[in-house]
Amino acid sequence: MRDPVVLLVEDDPAHAELAFRSLASVKVAVHCVDTLASAREWLSRGSADVVLADLRLPDGSALELTSFPLVIMTSQGDEERAVAAMKGGALDYVVKSREMYRDLPIIVERALRAARAYGDKLRAESSLRESEERFRQLADTIEQAFWLYDVREERMIYASPAFPRVYGVAAAAANGSELARLSFVHPDDLTRIRDGAAREQQTHEFRVVSSGKTIWVEERTFPIADDGGRPFRIAGLGHDVTERRELESSLRQAHKMEAIGQLAGGIAHDFNNMLTAIRSEERRVG
């Protein structure tokens, strides 16, 4: 593991030497430049874990480096400027003195910890944004409607863009109480899908009635338990299977008609056999 890198931005050789001597007691790699421009150039080519910079530089102010993990050093204390620097993103604001140089290793170590914590926060936020983006892309792309229902608050907390297309109603229509969430379900199917929905994983098909149109939905529900094992949310995936149900119904009807046809054909065959036997008997008698 490499030593932390400290970029020292100091145009006064005496102060630069004091900083070098102070930091020699800790395991850090110190690089020194003497202008704001050279600091920017160095940072464009490499990375620094902490930038330790004099406030006033020949070509500008170190406050222009607050996009980096920055500790401001100044020869004169200025409370208002210190507050502004900290609000602007500086990790620390210290006044040059014998005590400051003595404590510089502690100051740098404190800044390193703050920079690491800030970096961890940025990475966590970036990871969260990436995760949310992947979830959004998935939810926007899949044909199934995905939803989350809060059992305790009795309200829908998320419905994917496919929800209105699959269920035939806007997501807002499913918000609110348990009754409102299931209000779009056909009355004959309501009890069947509600019983046990919050207690166990289920796959069921039911009818949705919207604007006089009936839609068949295949839905899979997944209870989500808290640390105590109690379901507090339900995740659901819904898929419009109306066309499949209609095809199955047509197929069943075709099979039924085929069976009736076979039965009728068998009866006709038996009837013809009977007629043939009767006619044969009549000819024999006659």
Side-chain angles (χ1 to χ4, degrees):
M1 184 177 181
R2 68 171 180 83
D3 292 337
V5 176
V6 175
L7 177 63
L8 177 63
V9 190
E10 176 60 77
D11 64 313
D12 187 324
H15 283 289
E17 180 64 23
L18 288 171
F20 266 109
R21 290 182 181 180
S22 179
L23 294 176
S25 62
V26 292
K27 296 184 67 174
V28 294
V30 182
H31 300 268
C32 186
V33 295
D34 58 3
T35 64
L36 188 63
S38 56
R40 287 200 183 104
E41 182 183 357
W42 193 94
L43 290 166
S44 70
R45 292 183 284 105
S47 61
D49 296 289
V50 168
V51 177
L52 190 61
D54 185 18
L55 176 61
R56 296 178 180 176
L57 296 165
D59 54 347
S61 168
L63 291 173
E64 297 180 37
L65 298 173
T66 50
S67 58
F68 302 95
L70 176 67
V71 174
I72 295 289
M73 300 187 300
T74 182
S75 298
Q76 297 179 346
D78 186 326
E79 186 176 344
E80 290 185 4
R81 185 169 290 175
V83 171
M86 299 296 284
K87 285 184 176 180
L91 298 176
D92 208 345
Y93 188 99
V94 296
V95 179
K96 295 177 183 178
S97 65
R98 182 180 302 174
E99 291 76 15
M100 190 279 289
Y101 283 112
R102 182 194 65 204
D103 295 336
L104 192 57
I106 299 174
I107 293 170
V108 169
E109 179 59 32
R110 184 172 63 212
L112 286 169
R113 287 197 302 270
R116 283 193 291 267
Y118 182 66
D120 291 343
K121 178 185 176 184
L122 290 181
R123 283 188 290 273
E125 290 175 347
S126 176
S127 178
L128 178 61
R129 285 194 298 271
E130 291 177 3
S131 178
E132 290 175 343
E133 178 62 17
R134 287 194 296 269
F135 174 81
R136 185 192 65 78
Q137 291 172 351
L138 175 64
D140 289 354
T141 303
I142 62 174
E143 294 183 359
Q144 292 87 352
F146 173 70
W147 52 264
L148 281 172
Y149 181 77
D150 191 296
V151 175
R152 294 168 182 169
E153 297 183 8
E154 295 187 338
R155 67 182 184 89
M156 190 82 79
I157 58 175
Y158 177 79
S160 71
F163 190 95
R165 177 177 56 78
V166 172
Y167 288 89
V169 292
N175 293 338
S177 66
E178 178 75 4
L179 181 60
R181 184 178 79 89
L182 301 174
S183 61
F184 50 84
V185 178
H186 192 286
D188 292 345
D189 299 335
L190 185 59
T191 301
R192 177 170 53 83
I193 71 165
R194 183 167 50 191
D195 290 348
R199 297 187 297 276
E200 59 186 16
Q201 180 177 326
Q202 288 190 344
T203 299
H204 39 225
E205 294 185 7
F206 56 88
R207 288 162 292 178
V208 168
V209 181
S210 177
S211 302
K213 181 182 178 181
T214 299
I215 301 171
W216 276 97
V217 175
E218 179 185 79
E219 186 177 78
R220 300 177 66 189
T221 55
F222 307 86
I224 303 172
D226 58 19
D227 293 338
R230 295 176 297 273
F232 73 105
R233 283 181 182 170
I234 304 173
L237 275 174
H239 182 55
D240 186 343
V241 293
T242 305
E243 184 176 353
R244 190 196 75 194
R245 295 284 301 210
E246 290 174 349
L247 288 174
E248 290 174 349
S249 178
S250 298
L251 185 60
R252 285 194 299 270
Q253 184 66 23
H255 286 165
K256 186 185 298 183
M257 295 304 295
E258 182 181 358
I260 292 174
Q262 291 175 349
L263 177 62
I267 294 173
H269 179 72
D270 292 343
F271 185 71
N272 285 334
N273 288 339
M274 291 174 61
L275 286 178
T276 300
I278 292 170
R279 287 170 182 165
S280 298
E281 181 65 20
E282 288 176 345
R283 285 195 295 271
R284 187 183 66 79
V285 174

